[in-house]
Amino acid sequence: GAGVSQSPRYKVAKRGQDVALRCDPISGHVSLFWYQQALGQGPEFLTYFQNEAQLDKSGLPSDRFFAERPEGSVSTLKIQRTQQEDSAVYLCASSSGTRSDTQYFGPGTRLTVL
Amino acid sequence: AQSVTQLDSQVPVFEEAPVELRCNYSSSVSVYLFWYVQYPNQGLQLLLKYLSGSTLVKGINGFEAEFNKSQTSFHLRKPSVHISDTAEYFCAVTFGRPLVFGKGTRLSVIA
């Protein structure tokens, strides 16, 4: 693929529902990041993978948030028992793996919890 | 810990005028610095980055930024803006891998 893709682009959930957000990184990129962007704010780091290993999950706001990347490619961010404060744009980014590499971002998934 | 402060939340400017978007950072170690642009309903696109070497960095769409270590700043400039430059601009720093972003500056170009 030409870039990072995310699906769905928009998701509306009722409070208490579980949601799953998908990220397809650029082919061959070993690093994958998830960020949360609240309205009017800059993106904030959630979690980071190097291949299939989740190396940093310090940004996940609660144990309701879970991310996986089982085969080192596609990643899924799951939010259980969604709350209104989870409403945000969830951005995925990938990079080729070295510390200084550019992170390429997908278009994001806009989650609205009613 | 690292942090980024974007001093202006909104910057209105007339078309063909120059613009500067300000960014200051705080870090106890050397960092890499980035500017990203976000158009409505799109992801973030890299404008430019500073890793090392020359402190003046040139990016896409005629933007440039200057790294000033003593002032811990990385201001973004463009000598003449176009309507299509209207967007949200984010400054970011990293030493490790996760990026730390500022809150963004909304650039509005007025015809």
Side-chain angles (χ1 to χ4, degrees):
Chain A
V4 178
S5 61
Q6 293 185 245
S7 60
R9 289 293 312 277
Y10 302 91
K11 177 70 179 177
V12 178
K14 292 183 179 178
R15 191 172 55 181
Q17 283 184 331
D18 298 349
V19 298
L21 312 180
R22 176 188 170 102
C23 172
D24 281 88
I26 293 172
S27 178
H29 276 190
V30 300
S31 296
L32 186 145
F33 305 81
W34 284 99
Y35 294 86
Q36 180 190 59
Q37 186 177 18
L39 189 65
Q41 302 295 315
E44 293 191 353
F45 169 73
L46 292 176
T47 187
Y48 155 61
F49 290 85
Q50 184 95 336
N51 296 305
E52 68 278 4
Q54 189 174 18
L55 298 186
D56 187 345
K57 54 181 182 179
S58 61
L60 295 176
S62 78
D63 58 8
R64 296 186 296 104
F65 286 71
F66 172 75
E68 59 183 6
R69 193 186 185 198
E71 298 178 356
S73 179
V74 170
S75 177
T76 304
L77 176 67
K78 297 179 179 178
I79 309 173
Q80 297 177 326
R81 305 181 304 281
T82 53
Q83 303 294 317
Q84 284 190 318
E85 60 264 28
D86 300 335
S87 295
V89 175
Y90 291 85
L91 296 167
C92 175
S94 69
S95 76
S96 59
T98 64
R99 199 178 64 184
S100 62
D101 274 349
T102 297
Q103 293 182 26
Y104 295 90
F105 284 80
T109 295
R110 182 177 297 276
L111 172 64
T112 303
V113 181
L114 303 177
Chain B
Q2 295 142 25
S3 66
V4 176
T5 302
Q6 291 185 242
L7 297 163
D8 306 295
S9 59
Q10 297 186 61
V11 173
V13 62
F14 286 103
E15 192 174 17
E16 297 183 6
V19 70
E20 179 180 81
L21 305 183
R22 298 180 292 169
C23 172
N24 286 87
Y25 69 94
S26 173
S27 176
S28 58
V29 298
S30 297
V31 292
Y32 303 127
L33 296 153
F34 302 78
W35 275 98
Y36 281 84
V37 60
Q38 188 174 37
Y39 298 102
N41 297 317
Q42 295 187 28
L44 298 163
Q45 179 183 4
L46 180 72
L47 278 177
L48 47 80
K49 63 182 178 181
Y50 172 79
L51 304 180
S52 65
S54 173
T55 57
L56 183 62
V57 180
K58 293 189 181 297
I60 62 172
N61 301 340
F63 284 93
E64 64 181 30
E66 185 153 19
F67 170 60
N68 187 318
K69 187 175 182 179
S70 62
Q71 297 186 5
T72 60
S73 67
F74 191 53
H75 301 332
L76 181 70
R77 303 186 182 99
K78 186 170 183 178
S80 176
V81 295
H82 190 266
I83 292 289
S84 60
D85 293 323
T86 294
E88 192 86 19
Y89 291 79
F90 292 96
C91 181
V93 303
T94 185
F95 176 70
R97 290 177 173 85
L99 290 166
V100 176
F101 287 88
K103 292 187 175 182
T105 297
R106 175 72 182 171
L107 174 63
S108 298
V109 180
I110 305 161

